[in-house]
Amino acid sequence: MDNVDLDVTDGRVLGLVGESGSGKSTIARAVLGLAPVHAGTITAGGQEVRRLSARQRARRVQMIFQDPFGSLNPRMNVGGIIREGLEALGELPARERAAEVTRLLELVSLSPDLAERLPRRLSGGQRQRVAIARALAARPGVLIADEITSALDVSVQAQVLNVLRGILAAERFSMLFISHNLAVVRYISDDIAVMRDGVIVETGPVDEVLAAPRHPYTRELLAAIPQLHPVT
Amino acid sequence: MTTSTAEVGKRPASAGRPERGAHAARGRKVPGWVPDLAWKLLRLVISIWAVLTLTFLMIQFIPGDPVRLALGPDAPASLVEERRHQLGLDQPLVAQYLDYWGRMLTGDFGDSLLSQQPVSLLVEARIANTATIVALSLLAISVVSILGGLLVGIATHRGRRPLLGTGFTLATGIAAALPDFLVAVGLVFLFAVTFTIFPVAGASSAASFVLPTLAITLGSAATMMRVVRSSTAVVLDQDYMLVARAKRLPSTRVYLRHGLPNLLTAALTLGGLQLGTVVTGTIVVENVFAIPGLGTALVQALTTRDYPVVQTIMVLLASAVLVLNLLIDVALGALDPRSKRQRG
Amino acid sequence: MRRQLRTVFSTVTGSVAAVLLLLLVLLAIVGPIVWSAKANAIDVAKAWLPPSGEHWFGTDELGRDMFARSLVATRLSLLSAVAASGIAIVVGVPIGLLAALFGPRLTSAFQSVVNVAIAFPALLTAMFVGTVIGIGVPGAVLGVGIALAPMFARLTQTLTASVVSLDYVAAARTMGVPLHKLVGRHILANVAEPLVITATTSVGTSLLGISALSFLGLGARPPQYDWGGLLSTGLKAIYTSPLAAIGPGALIALSGIVFSLLGEVIAGAFGDSQAGRRFGRVARAMARRSSKATLPPSDVLLDVANLRVGFPSEAGSFPPCGVSRCGSPPASGSASWASPAPARA
């Protein structure tokens, strides 16, 4: 992968779309320091991400993972998992922490009673919402959502996306939304970037790009969701 | 919700076993048998280097004056000084190390601190007994575990003869749990007190090796027999076996054709797995049955702090294990191309 | 944990093993208090007596009661076994963790070393350590502990490697969770069960190893004595009073069996319960990851198109999706991919 240039602008959602293996997840992991970067810069809030301490980076960038069955520690209860996100903010008094956990659970439309539960007693959709709450707990400037719906069933996907959209309307933060599914990306994003073989082939506001795709690959992607053609 | 979680858990983990993946990855890195063999040889050399270095450093690690410890507080200072010189302990460390290498490689193991006899004489006198016990035990373990495991595996396949199955599991379980020194003591008791067929001490005749071999074999053979039995069951459930039986081929022919080709491979693998156990087994068993071998010499030298003897025997036994392991590894690689993938 | 305990006791072997362990521990506590005087009473006139009503296992060369000595020796035998296992864990687990956490190069170097170390005869390692620090209980305990450490190192490395690549560890890293919490909360907590099982069995292994050393005269030395030492004393009198050897020998065998049974039973209990299910799920998550990687990349979207034609645009607020779930053909050998997770939430 080379020459990938992505800008997640303030308060907007950038959808990154492309086929499996095109390097979308590698970008996400590189931003978070989970994958090595050989050249180039990754900045968040004007600072080179790799120069930041783990804690500082946690405040700037957070991630929601694809697989809610693998991204929650089976040994920790929901409250503990979300509190771990809060720890990135520094020391909070215990009472404030409990209140914040409750607020976050409500934010993702989960009952605060779930805080005592272990992940194994949650459904896939509930787990993914816990993962969202955990990421939001660190109050990141940028949230990265890496294929967050692809491990979920269709009806549950809608739920999770609607929760995310509701939060985007209520709280101001930027998001990099990665998916191979154009329909999902289009539903949630303001801007879109199309990636193929490690190269960004097209980028722009979502409506413009989808209304008049310039790159053949984008057109190919669009054609893959035929039932949406009449709408555009 | 609970039921769905249970359903998730019951699904067998077909893929993603970490072991398998690691092996596959390693296999890809070193393809073909030439680099494979070279890598194994390199590992052997490094291992033997480590053994030699550690046994050399053993004396240096000992807190205080090792010679004084060995000779006791009553020994005259002049004698201690003489032995220190004899061991080369008054030389600089590097010189000692190089000298040690030179001596070990040329087979000059130095003189015993106690008897003042060359250690090589002691080794010459005793190595045959130890080698006999090791060889007999490895042979017995392979033969007994493969034949026994195969027969019981066939006989109890798919829950047939449940009594035999349970008895087998129980008997091998107990035998595997018994350490060699207990088995040896039990055998001494049986054959010294009740039956007096085999001699229980010394190495005067061929019969002297029966009980020591038995003592080492019992536990290892029991463990391995279990392994063979369960893999027999797996093989019997393979499609080609089902087909063969569906064609009503005579059962002995089926078992022989599909069972025997794997016999040698299985024997080698099992023997290799038990090498360490067998070698330490001889140390113990020689002491119980008072057989003049390397094991008795080692224990005696350890209690009397006769360092040159300890070093020599440790190096010999360790190298034997390492070299035999390599030989088995190579033989397996040659016999069965599949095993190359699974062993790194 | 309580549920696991109940499972342990619900099986016959489990109950037997637990009761025997309890007896052994009790004996280790009260043995030296009750029988010490009798065990140490020297009466040379009564040396090497055969078993009798007064001396169940007979007497040793100084006329001391072998039965009382066997009971008293329980404490030293068990304590040294537990100590040796403790050393093996304390040495082995951190090494395994380091090897798994810090890079593939360290891992492969570690694997070559550990594979040799494991193939190396444990008794020789123990003897080596015993020679260096001197023959006695500390030497035997340290020797056996170090000899068993590679086993724990390899187990920890394998287990950690299987957990460390999971997303929740990655998630914790992105949270900036410090290393000690990462290891404790996210890694060790999730690999603890196999380690506990191995630790239990390793107490039995240690006990046998230390007994062997003492039996050879390379462990406990007078005035200390453990079962291994008593066994070698008894062997000297095997012609006149076999019970002097069989008694301590039986205790060694029994303890060895108790710990290995206990390990098996605990493993069974973990397997039955939620822990086993969790392990299954971890494996499934990994299977899913690997199956994702093996999907033919360029076919995915095309296949969706084929499958999705005519699918009604039903969802009011949200267009249908689920490409990867229903659209792509199952890659080779990916059972979990082909069968979608049950709909929940």
Side-chain angles (χ1 to χ4, degrees):
Chain A
M1 166 174 8
D2 45 28
N3 269 332
V4 173
D5 194 4
L6 277 179
D7 282 314
V8 185
T9 28
D10 215 19
R12 283 174 78 86
V13 177
L14 172 67
L16 178 60
V17 74
E19 65 208 11
S20 307
S22 62
K24 308 178 306 266
S25 291
T26 313
I27 292 182
R29 290 188 172 254
V31 172
L32 287 154
L34 298 173
V37 179
H38 298 299
T41 55
I42 299 164
T43 59
Q47 272 176 295
E48 170 60 34
V49 165
R50 276 169 293 160
R51 296 249 177 78
L52 298 173
S53 74
R55 274 271 142 92
Q56 286 170 317
R57 183 166 57 208
R59 299 273 325 252
R60 288 191 165 77
V61 195
Q62 273 302 322
M63 172 144 159
I64 311 165
F65 291 82
Q66 172 179 6
D67 181 7
F69 291 89
S71 70
L72 304 182
N73 184 343
R75 281 280 180 185
M76 289 170 80
N77 65 19
V78 168
I81 289 167
I82 296 175
R83 262 195 297 279
E84 195 155 74
L86 285 175
E87 276 171 24
L89 292 172
E91 288 305 310
L92 280 176
R95 183 171 302 176
E96 267 178 58
R97 250 187 235 190
E100 183 67 3
V101 168
T102 307
R103 187 187 75 82
L104 286 162
L105 280 173
E106 280 166 352
L107 192 66
V108 294
S109 309
L110 287 176
S111 156
D113 301 338
L114 294 183
E116 298 299 316
R117 286 215 193 157
L118 288 176
R120 87 183 116 90
R121 296 187 51 210
L122 299 180
S123 68
Q126 286 174 325
R127 284 164 189 237
Q128 201 56 300
R129 281 181 276 164
V130 171
I132 294 172
R134 168 178 62 186
L136 291 175
R139 307 219 178 129
V142 182
L143 189 61
I144 299 178
D146 182 16
E147 298 273 16
I148 61 168
T149 57
S150 62
L152 301 175
D153 295 291
V154 179
S155 60
V156 184
Q157 293 187 353
Q159 246 180 25
V160 168
L161 287 177
N162 284 334
V163 163
L164 200 55
R165 229 163 99 135
I167 299 168
L168 283 168
E171 307 215 346
R172 211 181 93 93
F173 59 90
S174 329
M175 183 157 80
L176 175 63
F177 189 91
I178 299 174
S179 178
H180 62 273
N181 186 328
L182 193 58
V184 172
V185 168
R186 163 209 184 100
Y187 177 67
I188 206 130
S189 310
D190 304 310
D191 303 306
I192 191 168
V194 181
M195 191 165 186
R196 186 179 203 187
D197 298 332
V199 179
I200 303 285
V201 294
E202 186 160 6
T203 173
V206 83
D207 297 330
E208 287 175 26
V209 170
L210 294 191
R214 281 179 313 240
H215 196 275
Y217 179 61
T218 315
R219 283 197 283 274
E220 207 181 301
L221 281 178
L222 263 176
I225 19 175
Q227 73 274 29
L228 290 175
H229 263 304
V231 189
T232 44
Chain B
M1 199 179 294
T2 328
T3 48
S4 61
T5 322
E7 193 260 333
V8 164
K10 255 182 249 154
R11 194 166 296 156
S14 54
R17 289 278 306 272
E19 290 270 347
R20 204 43 76 69
H23 283 306
R26 238 183 305 152
R28 229 175 293 130
K29 237 193 299 178
V30 191
W33 64 271
V34 176
D36 201 48
L37 183 67
W39 170 239
K40 280 170 184 164
L41 275 173
L42 180 72
R43 221 165 50 180
L44 175 75
V45 169
I46 293 175
S47 304
I48 288 181
W49 167 79
V51 167
L52 275 167
T53 306
L54 281 172
T55 47
F56 166 75
L57 288 174
M58 181 170 74
I59 296 184
Q60 318 292 331
F61 284 148
I62 294 169
D65 181 353
V67 179
R68 174 55 78 186
L69 277 171
L71 298 179
D74 302 330
S78 57
L79 185 67
V80 171
E81 209 37 60
E82 195 193 316
R83 293 288 183 275
R84 283 184 63 83
H85 177 73
Q86 184 191 325
L87 285 176
L89 287 176
D90 46 1
Q91 305 278 316
L93 199 62
V94 181
Q96 282 186 52
Y97 185 53
L98 293 176
D99 181 51
Y100 183 70
W101 266 101
R103 287 193 297 110
M104 281 292 169
L105 290 180
T106 51
D108 169 17
F109 304 126
D111 295 338
S112 157
L113 274 188
L114 291 176
S115 67
Q116 293 297 303
Q117 298 281 321
V119 180
S120 47
L121 281 184
L122 177 90
V123 170
E124 270 170 42
R126 293 180 169 227
I127 201 163
N129 284 340
T130 301
T132 310
I133 295 177
V134 169
L136 284 177
S137 302
L138 287 175
L139 191 72
I141 290 168
S142 300
V143 171
V144 170
S145 60
I146 287 168
L147 285 183
L150 214 61
L151 287 178
V152 176
I154 291 166
T156 61
H157 183 228
R158 296 232 176 126
R160 277 182 290 164
R161 300 190 184 80
L163 226 69
L164 176 63
T166 318
F168 175 84
T169 312
L170 202 72
T172 50
I174 291 172
L178 289 177
D180 38 26
F181 63 95
L182 277 188
V183 177
V185 170
L187 289 173
V188 169
F189 167 61
L190 276 181
F191 289 91
V193 182
T194 323
F195 319 101
T196 41
I197 318 165
F198 298 113
V200 293
S204 44
S205 67
S208 309
F209 292 103
V210 173
L211 294 182
T213 305
L214 193 57
I216 297 174
T217 306
L218 192 73
S220 294
T223 314
M224 290 299 120
M225 232 193 263
R226 287 184 149 197
V227 177
V228 174
R229 183 203 177 189
S230 54
S231 36
T232 305
V234 172
V235 170
L236 289 181
D237 283 331
Q238 300 283 312
D239 286 345
Y240 60 81
M241 289 302 276
L242 293 177
V243 170
R245 259 184 299 169
K247 282 195 282 185
R248 301 250 166 230
L249 290 175
S251 57
T252 42
R253 221 174 103 195
V254 173
Y255 297 137
L256 283 183
R257 179 175 300 173
H258 294 289
L260 273 182
N262 291 320
L263 209 71
L264 196 57
T265 319
L268 280 169
T269 314
L270 298 185
L273 286 174
Q274 294 300 313
L275 260 180
T277 322
V278 169
V279 167
T280 47
T282 49
I283 301 175
V284 171
V285 164
E286 282 174 20
N287 279 281
V288 176
F289 294 102
I291 289 173
L294 294 180
T296 33
L298 175 63
V299 169
Q300 204 190 345
L302 280 167
T303 44
T304 54
R305 293 188 165 275
D306 195 344
Y307 305 113
V309 178
V310 171
Q311 283 175 325
T312 307
I313 297 181
M314 278 194 171
V315 167
L316 284 176
L317 291 182
S319 310
V321 171
L322 292 168
V323 170
L324 283 173
N325 252 326
L326 176 91
L327 288 180
I328 288 175
D329 230 23
V330 171
L332 275 175
L335 277 173
D336 181 10
R338 272 175 312 163
S339 74
K340 220 175 274 168
R341 237 187 311 137
Q342 288 175 6
R343 307 167 141 254
Chain C
M1 199 62 208
R2 202 175 298 152
R3 193 192 312 174
Q4 272 98 342
L5 275 182
R6 216 181 304 140
T7 329
V8 167
F9 279 104
S10 70
T11 60
V12 179
T13 19
S15 318
V16 171
V19 167
L20 285 176
L21 177 72
L22 211 72
L23 280 177
L24 281 175
V25 170
L26 228 104
L27 200 55
I29 295 168
V30 300
I33 302 168
V34 178
W35 288 286
S36 261
K38 197 178 179 192
N40 293 326
I42 296 176
D43 184 352
V44 188
K46 290 181 174 176
W48 298 124
L49 284 185
S52 64
E54 195 191 345
H55 303 290
W56 288 7
F57 290 174
T59 57
D60 68 2
E61 75 271 26
L62 293 176
R64 293 173 295 199
D65 183 66
M66 285 295 283
F67 181 65
R69 288 174 81 73
S70 300
L71 297 184
V72 173
T74 310
R75 184 185 286 179
L76 183 62
S77 303
L78 286 191
L79 274 183
S80 8
V82 171
S85 298
I87 289 169
I89 293 166
V90 166
V91 174
V93 170
I95 294 176
L97 272 175
L98 285 178
L101 286 177
F102 296 111
R105 209 169 291 172
L106 192 63
T107 304
S108 62
F110 162 86
Q111 275 169 339
S112 342
V113 172
V114 159
N115 283 341
V116 172
I118 284 183
F120 201 76
L123 198 63
L124 273 187
T125 315
M127 283 175 173
F128 177 83
V129 176
T131 314
V132 172
I133 72 167
I135 291 169
V137 174
V141 167
L142 192 67
V144 170
I146 287 176
L148 292 182
M151 183 184 69
F152 279 98
R154 182 156 78 175
L155 182 68
T156 309
Q157 189 262 331
T158 317
L159 290 170
T160 305
S162 72
V163 167
V164 84
S165 58
L166 293 179
D167 277 346
Y168 65 79
V169 178
R173 280 186 177 162
T174 69
M175 297 295 159
V177 172
L179 190 67
H180 65 276
K181 282 188 187 170
L182 190 81
V183 167
R185 258 189 218 163
H186 295 284
I187 295 172
L188 282 184
N190 283 292
V191 302
E193 283 150 16
L195 282 179
V196 166
I197 294 162
T198 312
T200 311
T201 13
S202 82
V203 175
T205 318
S206 305
L207 192 126
L208 299 183
I210 294 172
S211 299
L213 285 172
S214 291
F215 174 70
L216 294 174
L218 306 173
R221 311 197 99 183
Q224 280 184 313
Y225 54 97
D226 61 3
W227 289 332
L230 291 176
L231 181 68
S232 80
T233 307
L235 184 62
K236 290 177 200 152
I238 194 111
Y239 292 94
T240 52
S241 64
L243 269 181
I246 293 173
L251 283 168
I252 294 170
L254 183 78
S255 317
I257 291 172
V258 164
F259 284 106
S260 78
L261 268 187
L262 216 61
E264 264 176 52
V265 171
I266 293 175
F270 280 139
D272 289 344
S273 65
Q274 20 116 344
R277 252 176 265 144
R278 183 159 61 239
F279 242 70
R281 197 154 46 240
V282 168
R284 203 173 78 99
M286 295 191 312
R288 188 162 27 210
R289 290 160 67 93
S290 55
S291 67
K292 188 193 168 211
T294 54
L295 272 181
S298 58
D299 293 348
V300 175
L301 284 156
L302 278 175
D303 280 340
V304 175
N306 293 339
L307 268 177
R308 283 286 167 170
V309 172
F311 199 93
S313 176
E314 94 275 61
S317 66
F318 180 66
C321 49
V323 172
S324 61
R325 183 138 297 281
C326 12
S328 48
S332 53
S334 57
S336 63
W337 184 267
S339 50
R344 276 165 288 166

